[in-house]
Amino acid sequence: MGPDSAPGPAVPWQKVLWEHQPFPDNYVDERFLEELRRNVGIRQYQYWAVVKEAGFVGQQLSCVAIFITLWLYMEQGLLPPELLLLTSLVCALLGYGLHQALKSQVESSCEPRTYMADLQSASIFLSFTFGFSPVLKTLTESVSTDTVYAMSAVMLLAHLVAFPYAQPSPPGSLSLNAALFASVCLASRLPGALHTFTMLSCALLVFALWPCLLKRLRANAPRQFTGVCVGVCLGGVGGLGSQSPAGAVLLALALGGVTLLCPLLLVRLQRHKDNIHGPWDEAEIHEDISRFLQ
Amino acid sequence: MGQRRRVAAVNNLSSQHISGSPAEVVGDSSRKHNICMVSDFFYPNMGGVESHIYQLSQCLIEKGHKVVIATHAYGRRKGIRYLTNGLKVYYLPLQVMYNQSTATTCFHSLPLLRCVFVRERITVVHAHSSFSAMAHDALFHAKTMGLNTVFTDHSLFGFADVSSVLTNKLLTVSLCDTNHIVCVSYTSKENTVLRAVLNPEIVSVIPNAVDPTDFTPDPSQRPNDRITIVVISRLVYRKGIDLLGGIIPELCLKHPDLHFLIGGEGPKRIVLEEVREKYQLHDRVRLLGALEHKDVRGVLVQGHIFLNTSLTEAFCMAIVEGASCGLQVVSTRVGGIPEVLPDDLITLCEPTVRSLCAGLEEVIARQRSGSVSSPASIHARVQKLYTWRNVAERTEKVYDRVAGEEVLPLDRRLRRLRSHCGPVAGSIFAFVAVIDFLFLLLLQWLLPDRVMDVAVDATGPHGQWRQDTSKTRSHSKCAMKQAAKTEMFL
């Protein structure tokens, strides 16, 4: 049958190719596109639920701001490294305790890391950082300060962009590495070797350990998690405000945009969503195929 | 939002056309066409598109049309080659970019393609495959030159991700003023109509075919002490090889006499090798590697069951080939596959390991109890379903219809581009169309059409290709030599 031959008789059209049907090849039946589905499995968002989730992004932004504030204080000599070191130690111990406490509630089934192992990795890390801090201090001496700042800014941005906000895992390697790179750059501009060591320990605390604790908090105590996020945001804005009011205003605007405006946009634009699905879609494999290889 | 508009537009168009003008007069059916098939994909590359172009061309030549093929140069295979029955193939020196698809600038292929179209006196340009940049280029230039255009879409595409949004837009631009579109299944038609926002009336469904004489059953090749499942497919994600990796251990543990014979090559081979290693199935799962087309039948006839695990498929020739060799076919229910074979020749399953295993178990049980139809009777049924002659006849009707249609002149083409493809893309491509037109004028001024040599016809009404008598053969050989001489320019 070619296109546009005689109009078909009263036989119903079938969506099959194996039968030679009395219809032209370009025949369009009423059933054309009947299997078209719109917006299958669409998620309806609630504004405040999205705001809560976005708060996590906001607090990570504030973490970076807090880190920069600390660095500013150190660089101007307003904050003695010993004090920061002591505070960090206390925070780390408190956080560790909290981490352990939250762990015992849920994941008792899988093999826990021993205290000994934790202590071992902490001491390895600290001793190496301490040993290498004189080297790290002079690492970027031959590089101009502007370059170092620019590099740090780019790397901190990369940290924020690559941070795994969605999946509950420790910070991804790209985001963690970018943040540590930025902290090494910044720390090398500080006046002394102890300053450098302090700054790097602080960076580990903020960029590596804090997200781990936060992830656990999010899983086990969602209500407190929201409070912590708000607290960190306020802390970030306040801290930055004491050094640079303009920076604090910018940060507050960014936080407002990320946590309030973007969710509003997402919820508002949702009704314009129009996804089409049909038999032509590539099937997805939902099963875990890798189980056959384990 | 765009998609809502898209669906609405399609519905509007279809309803207008169904209620509106009656079918126009079909052109004279005895009319012969000069057809140029254009695609990036042709022999020595192997696949569904390639064999479709070749077989369709051969059948059209048989019907007295003149057919030439234009593709890009494959390695040292460039210039002009003649295939069986004088099918002339132009391997044009265009740069290949990715996956055997040429790079496109919209313009640089115009001089060469114009040469081919003018010298061969082409009347219909038939482009194949939406993955082929050269096909889209050829459509674009053909419209600039005022030639009728036909496009065959061989694949399905989604709507969800960024890459498909982009390619769908390009397809919309490319097809908005193409005279007629051919799809290989109804699902493929729905997909193409939605992707390119087309009037469904200008889209015909003409299925692929298989050569039934190539795929005949031979039950003597089957070992009696075992049941063999044959899989022939490229080993890539889209063919569902991960599912196959789950099916093999499940079934092999249950049925000790079950063997797998897997033909094809690809990045997912490692999955199958790992499974084979882990479950120690080296004697029961054979990986044959890449197969040549002529060896496929030899593998198929060794099996009892043909398994296809594709995740998406517009037509799927493989299951027809399997059925033609008399095998029981088990396949996933995706894309156009449910349209291809009647229910008693195929067992359709959902694309999950569990469903496929259940389907296979059922067929294995039937096979053991001997309640399946004989290979010969399956072959007898399948061989009449899809033939290239039938495909050629139906395609010929498309050409007849297209030949009677007008090609949009430049002003209306620009208006159509802008009204159909959105203000931004429409304007950009309208601009490109104008540049293409000016470029064509420049070429026509540099080398006017009338001073261009007319190529010797190997096929068509005045075809010089003869193989019946020795006299004419020597004559035609001379002609060919002459032709080859005049065509050394490439």
Side-chain angles (χ1 to χ4, degrees):
Chain A
M1 285 287 130
D4 287 350
S5 19
V11 203
W13 176 83
Q14 284 174 291
K15 194 181 174 180
V16 296
L17 296 166
W18 69 76
E19 224 162 299
H20 295 291
Q21 304 187 54
F23 295 97
D25 282 331
N26 63 341
Y27 174 73
V28 183
D29 195 71
E30 285 163 10
R31 288 168 56 204
F32 185 67
L33 288 180
E34 73 168 356
E35 284 174 88
L36 179 78
R37 299 278 176 274
R38 283 213 170 102
N39 292 339
V40 178
I42 196 167
R43 260 177 77 185
Q44 288 301 335
Y45 293 105
Q46 297 296 318
Y47 178 66
W48 288 107
V50 182
V51 170
K52 266 187 200 170
E53 296 292 315
F56 188 38
V57 183
Q59 80 67 44
Q60 197 60 33
L61 197 59
S62 299
C63 276
V64 172
I66 288 174
F67 181 75
I68 292 173
T69 314
L70 287 175
W71 178 81
L72 284 171
Y73 273 104
M74 293 271 278
E75 200 216 9
Q76 293 160 16
L78 297 171
L79 184 66
E82 294 84 0
L83 179 63
L84 183 57
L85 208 53
L86 202 67
T87 324
S88 304
L89 190 66
V90 173
C91 287
L93 287 176
L94 279 178
Y96 187 66
L98 190 59
H99 194 258
Q100 294 299 329
L102 286 170
K103 178 203 251 170
S104 57
Q105 291 176 3
V106 184
E107 306 165 34
S108 49
S109 59
C110 60
E111 182 132 331
R113 267 171 72 88
T114 59
Y115 296 115
M116 209 53 205
D118 287 339
L119 188 66
Q120 197 180 1
S121 18
S123 50
I124 288 176
F125 234 98
L126 288 178
S127 51
F128 268 89
T129 318
F130 188 70
F132 280 110
S133 55
V135 180
L136 292 175
K137 192 202 159 312
T138 53
L139 189 67
T140 61
E141 220 156 57
S142 58
V143 183
S144 95
T145 306
D146 285 347
T147 311
V148 168
Y149 288 168
M151 201 116 83
S152 312
V154 169
M155 284 299 146
L156 285 175
L157 266 181
H159 163 72
L160 285 176
V161 170
F163 192 85
Y165 297 102
Q167 60 268 57
S169 67
S173 62
L174 175 63
S175 88
L176 182 60
N177 278 315
L180 289 182
F181 185 85
S183 10
V184 169
C185 286
L186 287 177
S188 67
R189 279 292 179 269
L190 291 176
L194 187 63
H195 288 78
T196 309
F197 171 63
T198 311
M199 208 64 235
L200 286 176
S201 322
C202 201
L204 278 180
L205 210 60
V206 174
F207 294 123
L209 301 180
W210 175 242
C212 293
L213 178 61
L214 218 52
K215 287 268 158 65
R216 194 155 281 183
L217 205 62
R218 180 152 82 158
N220 295 336
R223 194 163 295 175
Q224 284 83 344
F225 171 76
T226 318
V228 169
C229 284
V230 174
V232 172
C233 290
L234 290 179
V237 175
L240 202 58
S242 66
Q243 271 287 336
S244 132
V249 171
L250 278 179
L251 179 64
L253 283 178
L255 287 177
V258 166
T259 53
L260 299 175
L261 206 60
C262 289
L264 190 68
L265 270 178
L266 178 70
V267 173
R268 277 289 164 84
L269 291 177
Q270 200 63 16
R271 64 195 165 91
H272 295 297
K273 187 161 178 142
D274 188 18
N275 237 328
I276 47 183
H277 300 268
W280 49 81
D281 283 332
E282 186 174 308
E284 288 170 31
I285 303 179
H286 294 291
E287 298 158 284
D288 181 18
I289 301 294
S290 60
R291 77 192 147 97
F292 294 106
L293 292 173
Q294 278 154 15
Chain B
M1 180 122 130
Q3 283 176 344
R4 181 179 299 152
R5 205 167 51 212
R6 171 175 301 212
V7 175
V10 166
N11 288 343
N12 271 346
L13 282 169
S14 67
S15 57
Q16 271 171 18
H17 262 257
I18 289 168
S19 56
S21 61
E24 58 195 86
V25 185
V26 174
D28 180 8
S29 63
S30 63
R31 184 165 171 180
K32 299 299 174 208
H33 304 280
N34 293 347
I35 303 145
C36 181
M37 306 271 182
V38 188
S39 180
D40 273 318
F41 310 112
F42 194 65
Y43 180 81
N45 212 31
M46 289 306 285
V49 180
E50 290 83 346
S51 63
H52 180 105
I53 296 174
Y54 176 76
Q55 301 278 8
L56 176 61
S57 303
Q58 288 297 349
C59 289
L60 286 170
I61 288 171
E62 196 181 274
K63 288 179 144 295
H65 299 285
K66 169 175 167 175
V67 186
V68 298
I69 296 176
T71 182
H72 66 76
Y74 280 84
R76 292 187 56 213
R77 184 179 292 267
K78 52 191 162 197
I80 295 170
R81 303 277 177 125
Y82 286 90
L83 304 183
T84 316
N85 295 330
L87 175 58
K88 194 194 281 182
V89 187
Y90 285 84
Y91 288 94
L92 304 179
L94 297 170
Q95 189 57 47
V96 173
M97 187 173 56
Y98 174 69
N99 244 345
Q100 290 302 346
S101 183
T102 46
T104 175
T105 57
C106 291
F107 308 114
H108 75 290
S109 53
L110 178 59
L112 279 173
L113 284 173
R114 171 180 172 248
C115 252
V116 176
F117 294 163
V118 172
R119 288 161 49 79
E120 299 286 350
R121 296 288 186 260
I122 296 301
T123 53
V124 178
V125 173
H126 189 166
H128 290 264
S129 177
S130 46
F131 290 117
S132 162
M134 190 175 167
H136 292 300
D137 269 13
L139 286 180
F140 200 72
H141 301 322
K143 287 176 244 173
T144 310
M145 292 173 63
L147 301 174
N148 289 109
T149 43
V150 179
F151 177 79
T152 298
D153 200 354
H154 293 259
S155 39
L156 298 178
F157 237 102
F159 297 92
D161 52 291
V162 181
S163 81
S164 42
V165 170
L166 275 176
T167 44
N168 289 349
K169 194 75 196 176
L170 288 177
L171 194 75
T172 311
V173 171
S174 184
L175 298 191
C176 77
D177 43 4
T178 299
N179 293 109
H180 208 90
I181 323 298
V182 177
C183 291
V184 291
S185 64
Y186 291 106
T187 303
S188 168
K189 171 171 175 174
E190 292 179 345
N191 186 240
T192 307
V193 164
L194 284 174
R195 283 163 60 202
V197 203
L198 293 167
N199 169 9
E201 297 275 312
I202 63 158
V203 184
S204 287
V205 175
I206 301 178
N208 268 323
V210 292
D211 194 343
T213 53
D214 278 356
F215 294 95
T216 48
D218 183 4
S220 65
Q221 298 285 317
R222 299 176 172 181
N224 287 324
D225 56 336
R226 57 175 77 158
I227 290 184
T228 308
I229 297 180
V230 182
V231 178
I232 292 183
S233 113
R234 281 175 296 121
L235 304 181
V236 294
Y237 173 79
R238 284 161 70 96
K239 297 288 180 188
I241 302 304
D242 300 87
L243 291 175
L244 183 59
I247 294 165
I248 290 174
E250 288 265 304
L251 287 180
C252 280
L253 290 181
K254 276 191 200 158
H255 303 276
D257 60 342
L258 193 66
H259 286 66
F260 280 87
L261 205 53
I262 300 167
E265 195 55 69
K268 285 284 180 188
R269 183 187 174 113
I270 187 85
V271 174
L272 301 179
E273 279 176 352
E274 275 176 28
V275 165
R276 190 169 66 166
E277 191 71 34
K278 165 125 204 299
Y279 293 89
Q280 292 295 313
L281 295 169
H282 293 83
D283 51 337
R284 293 169 60 190
V285 177
R286 276 172 57 204
L287 298 175
L288 303 172
L291 290 179
E292 279 192 44
H293 192 252
K294 64 179 168 53
D295 302 329
V296 169
R297 188 237 166 200
V299 176
L300 282 173
V301 293
Q302 294 174 40
H304 301 82
I305 300 169
F306 183 83
L307 172 63
N308 169 53
T309 54
S310 287
L311 302 180
T312 176
E313 201 78 68
F315 179 82
C316 198
M317 282 162 127
I319 56 172
V320 184
E321 290 169 357
S324 182
C325 285
L327 278 75
Q328 298 293 312
V329 178
V330 177
S331 172
T332 46
R333 186 184 282 115
V334 295
I337 290 179
E339 304 167 28
V340 175
L341 288 174
D343 293 337
D344 52 335
L345 291 181
I346 188 170
T347 308
L348 290 170
C349 309
E350 295 310 312
T352 60
V353 172
R354 184 183 297 164
S355 174
L356 280 163
C357 282
L360 282 166
E361 295 256 22
E362 191 189 309
V363 177
I364 290 170
R366 260 192 279 151
Q367 187 77 40
R368 285 194 207 284
S369 67
S371 62
V372 294
S373 11
S374 74
S377 68
I378 298 177
H379 174 75
R381 285 192 59 193
V382 173
Q383 68 170 345
K384 295 194 200 81
L385 295 184
Y386 302 106
T387 59
W388 287 113
R389 289 227 167 85
N390 178 267
V391 172
E393 256 167 48
R394 291 158 78 168
T395 313
E396 196 180 24
K397 285 184 183 150
V398 170
Y399 294 149
D400 289 342
R401 173 187 158 133
V402 161
E405 287 176 7
E406 65 159 345
V407 181
L408 291 183
L410 188 64
D411 55 334
R412 282 171 58 199
R413 189 178 172 205
L414 298 184
R415 228 172 292 148
R416 176 139 185 83
L417 273 167
R418 297 200 39 194
S419 66
H420 199 80
C421 310
V424 181
S427 304
I428 293 173
F429 280 94
F431 179 71
V432 175
V434 171
I435 302 285
D436 205 46
F437 183 72
L438 292 177
F439 189 28
L440 178 69
L441 286 186
L442 175 75
L443 289 173
Q444 282 174 341
W445 177 73
L446 287 174
L447 184 68
D449 286 0
R450 65 191 144 72
V451 302
M452 274 169 113
D453 288 337
V454 180
V456 177
D457 283 355
T459 57
H462 311 291
Q464 308 263 2
W465 189 274
R466 295 277 182 279
Q467 286 193 315
D468 349 300
T469 61
S470 58
K471 197 176 168 190
T472 44
R473 188 186 297 146
S474 66
H475 166 74
S476 84
K477 249 187 193 167
C478 260
M480 284 307 119
K481 229 181 245 171
Q482 210 179 354
K485 245 182 225 163
T486 54
E487 295 177 5
M488 287 294 274
F489 76 103
L490 276 173

